[in-house]
Amino acid sequence: MEQFGGEQTLSDVWRGRRVSVPGRIYYGQNGKPTRIEAIDIRAKEVPEVQIEDVLDADFTGGLSPVEYLDKLHEGRLG
């Protein structure tokens, strides 16, 4: 509240953004989080990436997706 003012909700401030929240997570008996003790909250700047920037037509080296994944899981990718 000190950082953003008391008139804003968390969704007003963080909707659609990635954040880093240092602190502690407490888990219940079922292994699910029951409480979060946040020390701070910081925006994570994530650059926008276009699909064309990451596509690589030769990523699998000519292997089919199934062949590529089989070799990857077997540790035989060179």
Side-chain angles (χ1 to χ4, degrees), residues 50-71:
Q50 301 299 319
I51 189 70
E52 295 80 20
D53 296 337
V54 294
L55 287 177
D56 180 357
D58 195 40
F59 179 79
T60 65
L63 298 173
S64 74
V66 172
E67 292 171 315
Y68 179 85
L69 290 173
D70 284 346
K71 286 187 176 210

Side-chain angles (χ1 to χ4, degrees), residues 32-66:
K32 293 184 179 182
T34 58
R35 184 171 66 125
I36 298 174
E37 193 175 278
I39 297 169
D40 191 11
I41 187 165
R42 291 172 264 184
K44 297 289 286 182
E45 298 304 323
V46 180
E48 190 168 320
V49 177
Q50 301 299 319
I51 189 70
E52 295 80 20
D53 296 337
V54 294
L55 287 177
D56 180 357
D58 195 40
F59 179 79
T60 65
L63 298 173
S64 74
V66 172

